[in-house]
Amino acid sequence: MGYFRILAAIPGFFLSTWFLMLLWGVFAPDLGIPTISYVNAMLINITLWLAVAPLTAVGKCK
């Protein structure tokens, strides 16, 4: 069943990347920082996913 969970996470990755790009675009002008492209949002998103995934795996082992 682990293989199907990975396949189910793929659309979530692209959707969360899109939300990150949109929300960044909303808050960036107020904070005085430049907006980001979809590709940069993907890089930020994969970094966050790689940082959070081990933490969730540890939480499920207890």
Side-chain angles (χ1 to χ4, degrees):
M1 291 306 265
Y3 180 72
F4 294 111
R5 287 186 183 187
I6 292 172
L7 289 177
I10 293 171
F13 170 75
F14 290 107
L15 189 62
S16 63
T17 299
W18 185 63
F19 283 137
L20 176 66
M21 183 188 68
L22 291 178
L23 290 173
W24 191 290
V26 170
F27 292 112
D30 295 336
L31 299 174
I33 55 177
T35 58
I36 59 173
S37 67
Y38 187 74
V39 174
N40 286 337
M42 288 178 90
L43 292 173
I44 294 169
N45 199 17
I46 194 68
T47 303
L48 291 173
W49 278 42
L50 289 174
V52 172
L55 297 175
T56 59
V58 168
K60 291 182 181 182
C61 289
K62 289 185 177 185

